[in-house]
Amino acid sequence: MDDSKEGERDAGDAAPLPFRAAVEALRAARPRPEIEIDPTRPPQRLAPYAYALEAVVVQDDEDLADGRLVLLHDPAGHDAWQGSFRLVTLVRAELEPEMAADPLLPEVCWSWLTGALQARGLSYGEPSGTVTRASSHYFGGLAERPSASQIEIRASWTPREGLGGVPDTSAHLAAWCDLLCQVAGLPPAGPGDASVVTLPQRRGPQSR
């Protein structure tokens, strides 16, 4: 079974109604055209029910950033989550080495996540995560390759549940897409977001 079929199975008729409604909202969402989203195989042991999406930010046939968003659900609730749903994400992008050297970069990237959720008016709790930057330098037979730097955001948070115990997963997905685009260095999609500062990226090595 391929990854997308596995994800569809986990969100099938046997799942609780709140989870199925939350998944359906994710499926129905329509991100901005630069973002390509597909279902993928979710983790199997983090929660009784899970659904996952993977996304790539593409512009001019170049991959600028990629990520994965996982929706977890435990009908019995989870003490660490303080709720019955949890969203887990991984976002990655390459960037210029001088940007990677900025000592404030981790704090800025984390604020992009929380700011994206707040800008959408979303209520959430128990946020946690890490921001990692890494650099690769090439030697010997690979010495002609330019140095490469990457930023990686791993995070999770609890979306507050609304009517029928269903969180607004469509809005959370929209906020996550906002984060992806910021990390990718794309300009804001809406006129009201013109003050948002995006991150210049290293784009050449990621041509499709």
Side-chain angles (χ1 to χ4, degrees), residues 7-204:
E8 298 298 318
R9 188 201 67 180
D10 287 352
D13 293 339
L17 182 59
F19 178 71
R20 285 154 47 196
V23 169
E24 185 56 36
L26 291 176
R27 290 173 175 159
R30 296 294 178 264
R32 57 189 287 184
E34 297 91 343
I35 302 178
E36 300 176 358
I37 294 184
D38 292 295
T40 188
R41 182 174 183 173
Q44 299 299 301
R45 290 182 288 274
L46 296 181
Y49 302 96
Y51 183 78
L53 297 169
E54 59 184 7
V56 180
V57 181
V58 181
Q59 189 174 58
D60 299 327
D61 292 326
E62 295 177 5
D63 294 355
L64 305 184
D66 64 84
R68 179 179 170 97
L69 184 68
V70 180
L71 175 68
L72 304 175
H73 179 53
D74 187 340
H78 195 293
D79 290 341
W81 302 352
Q82 294 296 301
S84 63
F85 284 90
R86 188 75 170 171
L87 285 164
V88 182
T89 186
L90 165 66
V91 172
R92 298 175 298 191
E94 290 196 21
L95 60 150
E96 298 294 342
E98 56 268 23
M99 293 300 298
D102 186 340
L104 296 179
L105 182 65
E107 288 80 5
V108 169
C109 289
W110 182 256
S111 73
W112 286 350
L113 170 62
T114 57
L117 294 169
Q118 292 164 7
R120 296 277 176 175
L122 293 169
S123 178
Y124 65 97
E126 309 303 318
S128 63
T130 62
V131 177
T132 304
R133 49 187 167 185
S135 297
S136 298
H137 302 269
Y138 300 96
F139 302 93
L142 301 177
E144 293 183 359
R145 292 189 184 182
S147 298
S149 298
Q150 186 181 73
I151 192 74
E152 180 181 275
I153 303 171
R154 292 180 180 268
S156 63
W157 65 94
T158 298
R160 294 308 183 203
E161 298 165 17
L163 292 176
V166 182
D168 189 354
T169 50
S170 177
H172 281 271
L173 176 61
W176 182 70
C177 288
D178 294 342
L179 171 65
L180 267 176
C181 289
Q182 277 191 279
V183 172
L186 294 185
D193 298 330
S195 63
V196 174
V197 178
T198 54
L199 189 65
Q201 301 301 314
R202 173 186 296 276
R203 296 182 174 146

